[in-house]
Amino acid sequence: MTKHSPFGEPLNNEAKQVVEEVRQRIGQKMHPNFNTDFNVYRFVMAAMRNHKKQRDIVKHAVEALNNHLRYRKALGLDVEYIPTFDENPIFQKKLMPRGEILTKTDNQNRLLWYIEYASITVESIAHSLSSSEACKYQFLQFEHMLRKVMEQEERTGCLSSLRHIVNMDGYEINPFTMLFVSSGTLAYYSQLFHFENYPELVTPVDMVNIATWIHVPYRLAKTMMPAGFSEKFRLHDKHFLKTLTADIKPEDIPVSLGGTDAEIKFENAEKVEPHRYWKVEKADLVEALEGFHINTGKSRQVVINVTQAQRELKWYFATDADVYFGVFYEGDAINNNFEEHPNLDNLEMVYPWLKITAKLVHEKDGIKLNRVGRYRIVFNNKHTWVARRYVQFYGQIQDGDNSYKRLFTDGTMVGAEPLL
């Protein structure tokens, strides 16, 4: 299969044919707020990086798109309105540096997005947000970016993306940042957003004014990333301007990067001082946590059989290292064909499947149990074959009559005063 329809061009007939084949094979409906040929084609482009035969490209594009649709449903991303950067807590709290997405483009119809990275401190984010919050806020960020790109594609009829230019001047590394890279956390976030759920949306990422030392964590991250990483994330030293002006007008480049646009503004992140780090609020809750280990390559499930709808499930947990966590809906709780560990791909994801470290900031969240049936809370340690994980958990069920029950990891419940 030949590569077709580059950025800045409409989809050609071959691309449209593949898009239609993918549409016919996906097992879920696409919401009108997401259902465009360009959105489907982004998953086709991602599959083309690893596969050459059309049947393989279609197969892997369908798998990736089906997976993304599960996340969209679990996170409620198909709503009419997605928060802007102004309304996203990760920017409201100034945990991430910020630059506005411009309406200006490079010569391939890619919207320009400049940012200055010197002010970011990874430890501020790690000590301020739970892992699930960090992931959910970034999903909102990427969804907002997708809507901007979709608007550009609607205006022009041509494939678009975000051309992200990151000024690394003044950025300094520290041991916490190296741990963020070496532990695989950076690779996980990149994989989750740039490759699995929003492929070909932010591309390329031009990192300019890099220091020599950046090549060390870059090479380390590259070993953990899929095909196309070095093509997507490109490093430039201080002699970058010639590369940018090859397809960006000087008047569309900020003055700080050698262009002539003095109107492009940036907002720095603010360092969170240690006295503002997250702290345990309820000592009695922590004391009540139920602990359990998850051996390497194994998972632990808490099964809830809901016989009356209009319940609410809340949870709180801490971990000693990263685990995968999510909540899935199986269906009929009266079904006698009970599987202890069913294939999660066959279940409905009702809380997103995320890699979570609840060590510096504990996890606290919940969902509505609006349907009768079996729900599964899943903790998973299958990503590591080196060390088991220790989890401390508290579950709470609120019934429709405002009575409360404590949920134990064996699925049993007892009446209790609400702690969540």
Side-chain angles (χ1 to χ4, degrees):
M1 180 178 176
T2 58
K3 188 175 181 178
H4 38 223
S5 295
F7 294 104
E9 297 183 9
L11 298 185
N12 61 28
N13 289 334
E14 186 181 7
K16 290 179 179 179
Q17 179 182 352
V18 178
V19 165
E20 183 57 31
E21 190 171 350
V22 171
R23 284 184 188 279
Q24 292 175 0
R25 296 191 182 187
I26 60 173
Q28 303 165 71
K29 291 184 178 180
M30 285 194 291
H31 193 278
N33 290 338
F34 176 75
N35 189 2
T36 72
D37 285 354
F38 290 121
N39 279 343
V40 175
Y41 186 64
R42 275 183 262 278
F43 287 87
V44 173
M45 291 176 68
M48 288 170 61
R49 292 188 179 277
N50 296 298
H51 306 280
K52 294 182 179 180
K53 295 181 180 179
Q54 181 164 326
R55 66 174 181 271
D56 295 329
I57 292 171
V58 170
K59 175 178 180 291
H60 287 88
V62 168
E63 289 175 354
L65 181 53
N66 266 324
N67 187 60
H68 176 64
L69 293 176
R70 297 175 79 205
Y71 276 87
R72 295 190 70 81
K73 186 174 182 180
L75 288 160
L77 296 177
D78 286 321
V79 294
E80 290 296 325
Y81 183 77
I82 291 293
T84 65
F85 285 179
D86 285 333
E87 299 160 323
N88 191 316
I90 207 165
F91 295 116
Q92 287 180 333
K93 298 173 185 288
K94 296 188 176 180
L95 294 172
M96 290 283 289
R98 174 178 159 182
E100 293 304 319
I101 298 171
L102 308 180
T103 56
K104 300 176 179 180
T105 68
D106 67 3
N107 63 9
Q108 295 186 54
N109 198 41
R110 299 179 291 205
L111 297 170
L112 300 177
W113 179 29
Y114 297 95
I115 199 169
E116 293 181 342
Y117 221 59
S119 61
I120 191 172
T121 56
V122 176
E123 55 265 46
S124 290
I125 301 173
H127 283 280
S128 301
L129 299 177
S130 68
S131 293
S132 64
E133 286 176 322
C135 287
K136 288 191 286 186
Y137 296 157
Q138 287 181 83
F139 265 106
L140 291 177
Q141 175 190 343
F142 271 75
E143 189 64 22
H144 173 69
M145 298 188 306
L146 176 64
R147 300 289 178 98
K148 290 287 188 182
V149 168
M150 289 171 62
E151 290 172 2
Q152 179 68 10
E153 290 168 340
E154 179 68 22
R155 282 192 296 266
T156 63
C158 297
L159 185 66
S160 182
S161 74
L162 292 179
R163 176 76 180 271
H164 194 22
I165 298 94
V166 182
N167 186 0
M168 300 293 290
D169 188 32
Y171 179 70
E172 298 180 357
I173 200 165
N174 59 37
F176 198 100
T177 303
M178 281 303 298
L179 179 62
F180 181 71
V181 175
S182 62
S183 67
T185 306
L186 174 62
Y188 170 70
Y189 283 129
S190 298
Q191 179 81 23
L192 181 66
F193 296 105
H194 287 279
F195 292 93
E196 291 181 2
N197 284 287
Y198 295 93
E200 310 302 327
L201 177 64
V202 185
T203 186
V205 179
D206 288 304
M207 304 171 71
V208 304
N209 281 321
I210 66 160
T212 304
W213 60 259
I214 289 181
H215 287 281
V216 176
Y218 179 84
R219 284 195 295 268
L220 182 59
K222 185 178 177 180
T223 62
M224 307 177 194
M225 298 306 299
F229 176 79
S230 56
E231 181 182 344
K232 179 187 289 284
F233 294 90
R234 310 189 302 198
L235 302 185
H236 308 275
D237 59 19
K238 63 181 179 180
H239 306 292
F240 61 84
L241 191 58
K242 183 177 180 180
T243 300
L244 295 188
T245 54
D247 45 19
I248 303 175
K249 299 175 183 177
E251 56 266 34
D252 295 335
I253 298 175
V255 172
S256 59
L257 293 181
T260 60
D261 192 333
E263 300 300 317
I264 298 176
K265 304 297 181 183
F266 304 96
E267 185 174 327
N268 290 334
E270 293 183 358
K271 183 179 180 179
V272 177
E273 297 299 331
H275 72 275
R276 294 172 52 207
Y277 285 175
W278 177 88
K279 296 180 178 64
V280 170
E281 295 179 352
K282 288 187 174 183
D284 56 341
L285 174 58
V286 174
E287 291 174 0
L289 297 177
E290 178 187 3
F292 59 90
H293 286 97
I294 312 174
N295 289 328
T296 58
K298 301 296 183 180
S299 67
R300 180 71 174 266
Q301 299 191 13
V302 183
V303 180
I304 311 168
N305 290 322
V306 176
T307 56
Q308 295 180 1
Q310 305 307 316
R311 286 180 161 187
E312 184 176 13
L313 165 67
K314 292 184 179 180
W315 58 80
Y316 183 105
F317 65 86
T319 67
D320 63 346
D322 56 350
V323 298
Y324 276 88
F325 173 82
V327 184
F328 298 84
Y329 177 70
E330 185 174 358
D332 187 0
I334 307 176
N335 182 0
N336 292 322
N337 297 322
F338 180 82
E339 292 183 63
E340 186 175 357
H341 296 286
N343 186 345
L344 299 181
D345 290 339
N346 297 330
L347 306 183
E348 180 183 340
M349 183 191 297
V350 293
Y351 188 87
W353 184 242
L354 302 171
K355 185 194 275 189
I356 284 175
T357 304
K359 187 175 183 179
L360 300 178
V361 180
H362 295 173
E363 283 289 328
K364 179 183 176 182
D365 212 339
I367 59 170
K368 300 287 187 181
L369 305 178
N370 291 326
R371 289 174 288 175
V372 171
R374 182 178 292 126
Y375 291 80
R376 293 178 180 267
I377 303 171
V378 183
F379 295 90
N380 188 293
N381 190 28
K382 292 186 177 180
H383 60 294
T384 175
W385 293 95
V386 178
R388 66 179 184 173
R389 299 293 191 247
Y390 184 61
V391 180
Q392 294 174 286
F393 172 82
Y394 189 95
Q396 177 179 290
I397 300 286
Q398 179 182 356
D399 287 326
D401 60 359
N402 286 326
S403 62
Y404 294 87
K405 294 183 178 69
R406 175 173 180 175
L407 171 67
F408 291 92
T409 57
D410 63 1
T412 60
M413 292 180 253
V414 298
E417 291 297 316
L419 291 180
L420 295 174

